[in-house]
Amino acid sequence: MIPFLSLLFLLSLHPHRAIAAHCTATTATKTFEKCMSLPSQQASIAWTFHRHNSTLDLVFSGTFISPSGWVAWGINPNSPEMTGTRALITFPDPNSGQLVLLPYILDPTVKLQKSPLLSRPLDIHLLSSSAALYGGQMGTVHNGVTIQIFATLKLKPNKTKIHHVWNRGLYVQGYSPTIHPTTINDLSSVTTIDVLSGQSASGPNTNIKTLKLVHAITNAISWGVFLPTGAVTARYLRHIHSLGPMWFYVHAGIQLSAFLLGTAGFAIGIRLGQLSLGRVYGLHRKLGFAAFFLGSLQTLALLFRPKTTNKFRKYWKSYHHFVGYACVIIGVVNVFQGFEVMGEGGSYAKLMYCLCLSTLAGVCVALEVNSWVIFCRKSKEEQLRREGILRGQEKTFGSESRS
């Protein structure tokens, strides 16, 4: 129980880890009035807003995740999302190796990867732009090096809320940046900032992040913990005669709770798919549908459970065992797949979940050994009993023959 509670605690706190980036209003060439740490990728932004002419001077600070990768910052004039963003993307020139900064417009075809991302002029009033490495020369580009993108924009009068979008990728094909990673950290790179007040407004992305957290915790509990526990109770408690039929009610209660909770998590996953058009986690999605389908079959099987005297009972038991174990295996595998989707493959939350499964596996091994010891003991007693009966019958038969 302690590892399980620790898992929930870590899952609840872990998404806030990425908000630890430190912002600074001073650069090597300019000092800005305000700065803010952005909610993902250890990025930050600093700016000065000139109210008299609606001009915005800013610098975005991000990090490379590959020496041949790219870093992007942009604004979306209409909504806080990637589609429609007017972006400035910097990367090492594939020919000269020098740092280049090019403009791109992220239309829906780019998000769906129907065509390569090609540079083209922006349709916003961009007065100037440049990029520079922080504290190093071009030859020192490596994983983790900081890049600063400077820009000066002419805003529309009385429009001070700006939708900022940023991201980073592993490599560039020619002058076309390739798709960025799709972990929750990389899909949370949108925020709306009022450049006049310096306040960050929560948008739809915040709701998506909350839904993802609820989806992860709910499914980790249901498919990843409750379902295997219910299978263990059915396999080992049913042989304890002192419990009577109580083992069945415990088993059914755990499995039903797991399915109901898993159904809620499955529904949240469907909703997340609707809110994240263009982002398809193929394997995770397929495993989720498979687990829900098998779980539904198991639940419906309770309504058609034959009596112990029915001749079809043995076929029902075989079906119930096969579908049940398949559902458990798929559910656990998909929980691990979910950790990878969220970018938590090396997190403490995953470690605690592994400890939960290891504890459950250790209990299974102990109970399995105990079951085999009891089985072998009963088999030996039965054999001795049969031998005693046979010897008794032989003696009785010999006595009758002599008489």
Side-chain angles (χ1 to χ4, degrees), residues 234-246:
R235 179 170 177 80
Y236 299 108
L237 295 187
R238 64 185 303 172
H239 301 294
I240 303 177
H241 298 292
S242 59
L243 292 178
M246 182 59 66

Side-chain angles (χ1 to χ4, degrees), residues 256-279:
L256 186 59
S257 300
F259 178 71
L260 293 177
L261 194 60
T263 300
F266 177 77
I268 294 174
I270 296 296
R271 179 56 180 164
L272 283 172
Q274 296 173 346
L275 294 175
S276 306
L277 296 176
R279 302 168 187 164

Side-chain angles (χ1 to χ4, degrees), residues 123-301:
D123 54 359
I124 58 174
H125 204 164
L126 179 66
L127 301 179
S128 65
S129 62
S130 63
L133 289 177
Y134 177 77
Q137 300 299 320
M138 191 57 219
T140 63
V141 172
H142 56 80
N143 182 10
V145 69
T146 300
I147 185 74
Q148 293 179 325
I149 299 176
F150 296 85
T152 301
L153 302 165
K154 180 77 171 180
L155 303 183
K156 294 180 179 179
N158 300 321
K159 182 177 177 60
T160 59
K161 289 186 177 181
I162 306 298
H163 306 303
H164 295 267
V165 183
W166 65 97
N167 224 305
R168 55 194 181 181
L170 290 170
Y171 59 97
V172 178
Q173 292 181 341
Y175 290 90
S176 177
T178 60
I179 186 172
H180 57 75
T182 55
T183 67
I184 189 172
N185 190 35
D186 298 292
L187 298 178
S188 304
S189 53
V190 179
T191 192
T192 302
I193 300 176
D194 190 323
V195 295
L196 183 60
S197 66
Q199 298 297 314
S200 176
S202 60
N205 191 67
T206 303
N207 297 330
I208 292 178
K209 187 184 296 186
T210 302
L211 283 177
K212 285 183 177 180
L213 180 61
V214 175
H215 172 73
I217 294 177
T218 301
N219 286 297
I221 295 172
S222 56
W223 304 107
V225 177
F226 281 6
L227 206 65
T229 302
V232 170
T233 59
R235 179 170 177 80
Y236 299 108
L237 295 187
R238 64 185 303 172
H239 301 294
I240 303 177
H241 298 292
S242 59
L243 292 178
M246 182 59 66
W247 72 267
F248 173 76
Y249 298 112
V250 173
H251 167 68
I254 294 176
Q255 299 301 73
L256 186 59
S257 300
F259 178 71
L260 293 177
L261 194 60
T263 300
F266 177 77
I268 294 174
I270 296 296
R271 179 56 180 164
L272 283 172
Q274 296 173 346
L275 294 175
S276 306
L277 296 176
R279 302 168 187 164
V280 180
Y281 306 106
L283 180 59
H284 185 61
R285 181 184 180 90
K286 292 174 184 176
L287 290 175
F289 273 99
F292 179 74
F293 176 72
L294 293 176
S296 301
L297 288 180
Q298 282 292 78
T299 305
L300 291 175

Side-chain angles (χ1 to χ4, degrees), residues 23 79 91 97 163 208 217 307 315 340 387:
C23 75
S79 60
F91 52 86
H163 306 303
I208 292 178
I217 294 177
K307 295 182 179 179
Y315 302 111
E340 298 301 323
E387 290 177 354

Side-chain angles (χ1 to χ4, degrees), residues 27-91:
T27 68
T29 58
K30 191 179 294 187
T31 299
F32 298 88
E33 292 181 354
K34 296 182 176 68
C35 75
M36 177 179 294
S37 296
L38 298 175
S40 69
Q41 301 181 350
Q42 295 79 47
S44 64
I45 190 169
W47 73 92
T48 299
F49 179 59
H50 306 282
R51 295 186 62 179
H52 65 281
N53 59 0
S54 297
T55 301
L56 179 66
D57 285 325
L58 63 86
V59 58
F60 166 81
S61 298
T63 55
F64 278 101
I65 55 174
S66 168
S68 58
W70 55 267
V71 177
W73 165 87
I75 64 171
N76 191 318
N78 303 313
S79 60
E81 60 177 341
M82 186 185 82
T83 302
T85 296
R86 277 60 175 170
L88 296 173
I89 304 181
T90 181
F91 52 86

Side-chain angles (χ1 to χ4, degrees), residues 327-348:
C327 188
V328 169
I329 293 172
I330 291 175
V332 171
V333 170
N334 206 28
V335 170
F336 281 105
Q337 183 64 24
F339 279 115
E340 298 301 323
V341 165
M342 294 185 68
E344 306 295 329
S347 66
Y348 287 108

